[in-house]
Amino acid sequence: MSAKHVVITGANRGIGLALARQFHERGDEVTAVCRQPSPELERLGVAIIDGIDVTDTDARNLLAERLENETIDMLVNNAGILEGDDFDSFAEDSILRQVEVNAVAPLALTRALRSQLKQGSKVIMITSRMGSMADNGSGGQYGYRMSKAALNAAGVSLANDFKDAGIAVAMLHPGYVQTDMVGNRGDISATEAATRLVQRMDEVELSNTGSFRHSNGETLPW
C-alpha cells in the first residue's frame, strides 16, 4: 500500500494520538492538528499544526492555508467533547457547545479543506453509536447524543455531495474506549480502538460511502 497523507484533528491525546501513531508507524505521512500538542505527540515525529480550535473560522482558514499545496488522502475529523447530562441536569449552553464542536466544526473544517481533497480521498467522521436512534435504550446524555446524531446527518449529506467527485465518507464509532473523555472507564484501549479504526478506514470506498460502522466491523443502525 502506497503512503498516504492523513490529517487528524484532536491528535494530541486519546484516540487521535493513537491513530497518528499507527498511521505514522506504517509509513503514512501524518499531519496532527490540535490546539496544544502533548509531549507524547511531539515525540512521534509527525508534522504538527497546533493552535487550531476547530470551532474557530480563522483557525480553520489558517489550517487550510498551511495545507494549501498539499493533497489530503484521508481527513479524520476526530476532535470532540463529551459533557455528561440527564433530563434534570442538562444545560442548554452545554448542548449547543457539544453540537458546535462535535457536528458543526467537522462539517465546516471539511469545507475549509475541500480544495485539498481529490478523487480517491476519504473523509472520516469519528462519531458514536450514541448518535443512533435505534440503539438508544437508556436515554440521557442529551447533548452528546444530539451532537453525534447531527454529525451522522452531516456525514450522509457529505457522502452524497462528494460522490461524483470520487470522495468517500464514513462515520465510524471507536467503541467504548479508555480515554480521558470517559474517565478511562472504557472496554478497550485507545491503541486497540485505533487498530480497528484504521482497518475500517482502509475499507472505506465509494461503494460503501455514507456508512455508519462500529470499529469492530459491525454496521450500526441509524
Side-chain angles (χ1 to χ4, degrees):
M1 182 181 297
S2 60
K4 303 294 185 182
H5 181 202
V6 183
V7 175
I8 306 168
T9 66
N12 60 320
R13 63 177 186 169
I15 296 169
L17 176 64
L19 286 169
R21 178 179 291 111
Q22 294 207 15
F23 280 117
H24 176 62
E25 288 178 351
R26 80 173 191 179
D28 290 317
E29 176 190 356
V30 174
T31 298
V33 179
C34 58
R35 287 182 296 177
Q36 179 69 38
S38 62
E40 293 82 3
L41 177 60
E42 292 176 327
R43 286 195 292 269
L44 282 187
V46 303
I48 299 172
I49 301 179
D50 59 5
I52 304 298
D53 180 342
V54 294
T55 67
D56 183 81
T57 301
D58 290 339
R60 293 192 298 262
N61 290 338
L62 175 62
L63 178 62
E65 289 175 12
R66 293 282 300 274
L67 296 172
E68 183 178 7
N69 298 316
E70 303 277 349
T71 293
I72 299 175
D73 297 299
M74 188 179 301
L75 172 60
V76 183
N77 285 299
N78 166 72
I81 60 171
L82 182 155
E83 299 179 2
D85 59 38
D86 57 28
F87 180 72
D88 293 321
S89 71
F90 77 80
E92 292 174 46
D93 61 344
S94 173
I95 291 176
L96 292 172
R97 184 164 51 248
Q98 289 178 84
V99 170
E100 180 183 24
V101 175
N102 295 346
V104 178
L107 178 62
L109 185 72
T110 302
R111 185 171 66 180
L113 298 176
R114 175 63 184 89
S115 295
Q116 287 75 33
L117 300 170
K118 310 298 182 184
Q119 183 174 359
S121 295
K122 303 177 185 183
V123 176
I124 308 299
M125 303 297 198
I126 300 300
T127 185
S128 171
R129 69 187 310 162
M130 290 180 70
S132 167
M133 306 299 166
D135 193 60
N136 184 352
S138 59
Q141 300 292 356
Y142 286 88
Y144 193 71
R145 289 187 188 278
M146 292 166 69
S147 70
K148 292 300 187 177
L151 177 62
N152 288 349
V156 173
S157 284
L158 276 179
N160 287 316
D161 288 340
F162 283 179
K163 193 167 188 178
D164 287 345
I167 300 169
V169 180
M171 283 62 71
L172 298 179
H173 166 63
Y176 188 29
V177 185
Q178 297 159 4
T179 63
D180 292 342
M181 180 182 285
V182 296
N184 294 303
R185 295 188 302 272
D187 297 327
I188 61 173
S189 68
T191 297
E192 182 179 352
T195 297
R196 301 194 317 194
L197 285 168
V198 169
Q199 292 172 347
R200 301 291 82 77
M201 292 176 195
D202 286 342
E203 295 167 356
V204 174
E205 54 189 23
L206 289 179
S207 65
N208 56 32
T209 190
S211 58
F212 178 25
R213 302 180 71 196
H214 194 296
S215 67
N216 65 12
E218 174 189 356
T219 296
L220 294 171
W222 297 108

